[in-house]
Amino acid sequence: MINITLPDGSVKHFEKGVTSMEIAQSISEGLARNVLSAEVNGVVWDASRPIYDDSTVKLLTWNDEKGKNTFWHSSAHLLAEALESLYPGIKFGIGPPIDTGFYYDVDLGDVSLSVNDLPAIEDKMLELAKEKNAYVRQEISKSDAIQYFEEKGDEYKLELLDGLEDGHITFYTQGNFTDLCRGPHIPDTGFIKAIKLTKVAGSYWKGDENRQTLTRIYGVSFPKQKELTEYLTMIEEAKKRDHRKLGAELDLFMFSEKVGAGLPIWLPKGTQLRERLQNYLRDEQEKRGYKMVVTPHIGGKELYVTSGHYAKYGADSFQPIHTPREGEEFLLKPMNCPHHCEIFAHKPKSYKELPLRIGEFGTVYRYEQSGELHGLSRVRGFTQDDAHIFCTQDQLKSEFLNVLDLTTTVLHKMGFNDFTAQISLRDPDNPDKYIGSDENWKAAESAIIEATLESGLKTTTVLGEAAFYGPKLDFMIKDALGRSWQLGTIQVDYNLPERFNLEYVGSDNKTHRPVMIHRAPFGSMERFISILIEHTAGKFPLWLTPDQIAILPISDRLNDYAKEVELKLSKHDIRGFIDDRTESIGKKIRDNELKRIPFMLIVGDKEAENGEVSIRRQGEGDLGSMKVEDFVILFNEALAKND
RNA sequence: GCCAGUGUAGCUCAGUUGGCCAGAGCAGCUGAUUUGUAAUCAGCGGGUCGGGGGUUCGAAUCCCUCCACUGGCUCCA
């Protein structure tokens, strides 16, 4: 007999070799039907795997992230089985679960797959799922495993096997499909009731663009049909919030092929929004001791040779601008820091001037790869809410905390509460990718880690994601479709001060090298606004939205009264417009609802007589009539609540 | 940049076994209507079918190429 400890702390006795499934059955049949896998002493196992020693066991179902992972991992195997039966002879890369669903990378040889082929594959998967084939685990020697895949002719699996240690290799088989796999898996394919293959994409083997292109098939699966239907509805709703769609509907921005791909054009409404954001951010920064500057959109090529950027990015950037003077070359600025370094170097600096915080809404141009462009999120010309802080080594941590406070303050003001701070450090296996000394890197990395710890932010740490000149902290946030984007960024840099030979005179009357922090709380105005649009579905906070009110006269004869109302409200800094088109009131309401105008003020003869307006709140409907003065109060209350 | 897909009027879309002057709704314009909480009615104008090249008696439709966009991959100073 062995002792099994359950999450509630209770201990039950079972025969040696009991499975998690059997433990579930001992609790209830219903639970047993829903067990996907189990966490045994902290490791996720197959529910069907025998347990031989005293253990702590947590049964995992669809309600556990780890249970879902098992489910989706098994679904990837089912996809592979379906693919192999439909396209015999294909080779398999990897097929992991992801945040939502799973994918499998396959080499289809000469076959080219499109989304039109997916329904047939789904059907095959469902057919195989109905067979309720068990996922059977098998420990196998490395030589036998190699022999299996050599006979099958799957060089990808052989390459994966190459990195595995003999004695720790397992195969999983369900139906006619066997895969090299660590597991675990769900008991049988019958658990998978609903499947949607969502997209086909190219991917590089091992993520290396110099290696084979594989076909990646993405899918998502569920234990109940209803959950798939709900998921699909959610995706449809998310698409309605897409900033590219809303940006066009709300007349915020546009693109023009003639102007160029990835070069957003801000329309009047979008410009109002953007400038209000900038003003807000400028105020917050000036409160924190930043000094704003303006620098040109171009810079001499030597500037970027000095900074080191020309050597690293020159070939893949917008190419130099030439002038009538032979040999003279300028580059569109891809970042603001070299200009700011020149500002620092302009006059001798004393330690008394530090920290020096130089801020600029600086527009930069980067020749992003064509396949990368994406609405406002990834563009070739964008405006950073940039600043560079020059400080002493001692000031580094407090400056870092100051920036963390600024960033979290502005993100919260915008209603973003769900973001993570990603600490990006060096790839220890690839020191050649980075410039700067080892000591400096270590000092910078520990400064970031310490400050972030003190701030109490939700963090993740990723090795190998650092910039080439220093480690960084990025604020990651998700768009409507769950894709993760980097917004704000804070980067420590020991490199540029050296390259620009920046110095200050210390209290010891000796020269010292300042430390530099690059930081942008929004990242770029473009990307920030793209995320803001998706999070608010176009219903911007009242203080920020381009038009706060629309006055809708019921007929032409009320236009004069509408103007009176508009004038009164503008004296209270309430902005908007009169919709005096010769349209029915129903039509005007509909149009202004769709434009997400927060308040509609409907004025007819009754209102004009009494000095009133009839209020309609966007998305809520009629709030009844009130005096104009009372509306001002109502409006200011809504403003105060940051609605 | 790579893989796959898409591109017809300002917008959403129909039209593809190649064949009369390429259609609809919305938007726009003109006129009528002066309207009470999500679309008033009528008339009119509007398209190099993404650009270029080719096949064909004939191309929106088939082929090549370039561009843009979409979904991923890679990249992101």
Side-chain angles (χ1 to χ4, degrees):
Chain A
M1 294 294 277
I2 54 171
N3 295 323
I4 297 296
T5 310
L6 296 167
D8 64 0
S10 65
V11 178
K12 290 193 162 197
H13 307 292
F14 291 95
E15 294 288 336
K16 238 181 194 334
V18 68
T19 66
S20 305
M21 185 57 76
E22 287 158 358
I23 296 171
Q25 266 156 2
S26 80
I27 298 168
S28 87
E29 273 301 322
L31 180 59
R33 274 197 304 275
N34 288 310
V35 167
L36 301 172
S37 54
E39 205 169 338
V40 179
N41 299 322
V43 183
V44 186
W45 276 24
D46 302 310
S48 57
R49 189 165 162 188
I51 300 168
Y52 295 107
D53 301 302
D54 288 355
S55 299
T56 303
V57 173
K58 183 183 184 208
L59 301 166
L60 298 174
T61 68
W62 181 251
N63 296 323
D64 302 289
E65 279 310 305
K66 286 171 183 165
K68 275 196 176 98
N69 268 345
T70 308
F71 188 87
W72 282 329
H73 188 184
S74 300
S75 300
H77 280 231
L78 184 63
L79 167 60
E81 185 184 4
L83 286 168
E84 189 163 64
S85 105
L86 292 169
Y87 307 93
I90 62 171
K91 299 163 191 174
F92 295 90
I94 57 167
I98 51 176
D99 279 1
T100 307
F102 57 90
Y103 68 79
Y104 219 115
D105 279 348
V106 292
D107 181 344
L108 291 159
D110 297 332
V111 179
S112 151
L113 213 62
S114 85
V115 280
N116 300 324
D117 301 308
L118 295 181
I121 302 169
E122 279 166 19
D123 290 346
K124 189 72 190 179
M125 286 175 75
L126 287 167
E127 183 189 318
L128 292 167
K130 284 198 186 111
E131 291 177 7
K132 299 190 175 165
N133 293 314
Y135 287 85
V136 181
R137 181 174 188 273
Q138 175 198 357
E139 290 176 7
I140 189 164
S141 73
K142 188 160 179 173
S143 58
D144 286 352
I146 290 173
Q147 192 189 346
Y148 177 83
F149 283 110
E150 272 178 351
E151 278 170 20
K152 207 178 166 190
D154 194 327
E155 68 261 27
Y156 304 101
K157 292 296 178 188
L158 287 168
E159 192 178 330
L160 292 173
L161 270 169
D162 204 32
L164 298 179
E165 199 183 325
D166 199 5
H168 296 274
I169 295 171
T170 50
F171 276 10
Y172 275 83
T173 302
Q174 95 274 11
N176 294 314
F177 180 77
T178 297
D179 204 353
L180 168 67
C181 182
R182 186 186 299 125
H185 284 284
I186 58 177
D188 67 68
T189 59
F191 283 67
I192 303 169
K193 303 282 197 224
I195 300 163
K196 176 72 180 172
L197 298 179
T198 49
K199 44 205 169 196
V200 191
S203 71
Y204 300 111
W205 173 234
K206 297 245 170 176
D208 184 341
E209 60 183 320
N210 298 309
R211 305 203 62 184
Q212 298 93 325
T213 298
L214 303 178
T215 303
R216 175 171 298 178
I217 299 160
Y218 284 91
V220 62
S221 57
F222 297 90
K224 286 178 187 155
Q225 182 62 40
K226 183 168 161 256
E227 287 173 274
L228 172 60
T229 311
E230 282 168 6
Y231 170 78
L232 294 175
T233 309
M234 190 266 291
I235 294 293
E236 285 311 306
E237 286 303 309
K239 282 183 181 164
K240 291 181 190 164
R241 309 176 148 234
D242 190 310
H243 77 274
R244 293 165 297 190
K245 183 177 160 66
L246 282 171
E249 286 173 9
L250 302 181
D251 297 315
L252 299 176
F253 58 88
M254 57 169 275
F255 289 91
S256 147
E257 279 196 36
K258 286 198 181 105
V259 170
L263 297 171
I265 295 167
W266 289 84
L267 298 168
K269 299 284 183 211
T271 304
Q272 280 193 53
L273 179 74
R274 177 188 157 122
E275 297 204 326
R276 264 193 191 95
L277 271 176
Q278 281 192 5
N279 292 342
Y280 163 69
L281 200 48
R282 183 183 300 114
D283 289 349
E284 284 297 322
Q285 294 185 149
E286 286 179 342
K287 275 185 214 166
R288 288 172 172 77
Y290 287 80
K291 309 290 179 203
M292 300 308 290
V293 299
V294 176
T295 67
H297 286 234
I298 62 174
K301 182 177 148 187
E302 274 307 306
L303 185 65
Y304 303 100
V305 173
T306 301
S307 73
H309 293 106
Y310 189 78
K312 185 155 177 90
Y313 292 103
D316 301 319
S317 300
F318 284 109
Q319 291 305 291
I321 299 164
H322 298 271
T323 70
R325 183 167 149 196
E326 188 160 351
E328 189 173 54
E329 291 181 297
F330 291 91
L331 266 70
L332 273 170
K333 73 173 170 189
M335 79 290 292
N336 304 298
C337 29
H339 288 77
H340 293 182
C341 284
E342 287 298 291
I343 291 174
F344 184 91
H346 176 234
K347 279 186 177 177
K349 291 283 179 297
S350 152
Y351 71 97
K352 294 175 186 168
E353 295 172 68
L354 305 187
L356 181 65
R357 309 180 186 91
I358 302 286
E360 174 174 17
F361 290 96
T363 305
V364 298
Y365 299 89
R366 299 178 182 176
Y367 194 78
E368 304 290 357
Q369 299 186 81
S370 59
E372 281 303 336
L373 302 177
H374 182 94
L376 287 183
S377 313
R378 192 79 186 268
V379 288
R380 287 179 172 158
F382 57 97
T383 300
Q384 296 178 315
D385 53 328
D386 210 359
H388 295 94
I389 300 169
F390 301 88
C391 62
T392 70
Q393 179 67 33
D394 289 347
Q395 292 166 337
L396 185 56
K397 201 168 129 192
S398 66
E399 282 308 299
F400 212 90
L401 285 165
N402 185 15
V403 176
L404 284 174
D405 174 65
L406 168 67
T407 308
T408 49
T409 300
V410 300
L411 287 178
H412 286 139
K413 169 86 175 177
M414 296 302 144
F416 294 134
N417 297 308
D418 186 20
F419 50 83
T420 48
Q422 178 182 304
I423 302 172
S424 299
L425 306 177
R426 272 184 301 182
D427 177 357
D429 301 332
N430 250 323
D432 299 344
K433 273 174 70 179
Y434 309 98
I435 52 184
S437 75
D438 198 48
E439 310 90 84
N440 283 350
W441 270 88
K442 280 183 180 153
E445 292 188 342
S446 55
I448 290 191
I449 292 166
E450 283 173 29
T452 314
L453 258 178
E454 281 182 32
S455 74
L457 285 167
K458 187 165 69 177
T459 59
T460 58
T461 303
V462 194
L463 296 177
E465 284 291 308
F468 78 91
Y469 54 77
K472 58 180 182 175
L473 179 82
D474 292 326
F475 288 84
M476 309 299 292
I477 198 154
K478 286 180 176 166
D479 71 11
L481 288 167
R483 291 174 292 208
S484 201
W485 295 92
Q486 174 215 310
L487 287 182
T489 185
I490 314 176
Q491 312 183 356
V492 177
D493 186 354
Y494 286 101
N495 175 55
L496 275 187
E498 291 219 18
R499 288 186 158 265
F500 280 86
N501 198 27
L502 303 182
E503 292 175 340
Y504 66 90
V505 178
S507 58
D508 56 2
N509 199 28
K510 290 181 183 154
T511 56
H512 299 271
R513 185 79 74 216
V515 183
M516 198 171 163
I517 302 173
H518 310 247
R519 39 100 293 167
F522 286 168
S524 79
M525 299 310 293
E526 285 74 10
R527 183 175 292 176
F528 183 81
I529 290 172
S530 77
I531 295 287
L532 183 65
I533 293 169
E534 304 203 353
H535 273 259
T536 58
K539 296 172 204 165
F540 301 112
L542 196 51
W543 66 275
L544 183 61
T545 200
D547 290 304
Q548 297 166 321
I549 58 156
I551 302 170
L552 316 189
I554 220 124
S555 93
D556 292 349
R557 69 174 177 280
L558 277 310
N559 285 354
D560 286 341
Y561 178 66
K563 280 185 193 130
E564 269 175 49
V565 172
E566 186 185 39
L567 188 65
K568 270 192 198 167
L569 293 177
S570 73
K571 284 179 182 159
H572 290 91
D573 293 322
I574 298 172
R575 58 181 179 270
F577 60 93
I578 300 171
D579 185 351
D580 58 3
R581 295 174 300 162
T582 319
E583 293 286 354
S584 70
I585 196 67
K587 170 73 166 169
K588 291 183 190 184
I589 286 166
R590 178 183 158 77
D591 288 349
N592 289 297
E593 282 279 349
L594 293 175
K595 292 287 182 193
R596 295 356 182 236
I597 307 296
F599 288 101
M600 275 169 267
L601 280 51
I602 293 144
V603 294
D605 295 311
K606 275 184 287 182
E607 286 78 12
E609 272 170 43
N610 303 320
E612 291 187 340
V613 283
S614 172
I615 307 300
R616 191 187 160 95
R617 188 77 207 250
Q618 202 273 346
E620 290 176 25
D622 193 357
L623 301 185
S625 291
M626 61 184 75
K627 298 282 185 199
V628 176
E629 292 72 22
D630 290 330
F631 171 68
V632 173
I633 293 166
L634 177 93
F635 181 91
N636 284 325
E637 279 169 1
L639 256 190
K641 281 194 293 174
N642 196 22
D643 278 1

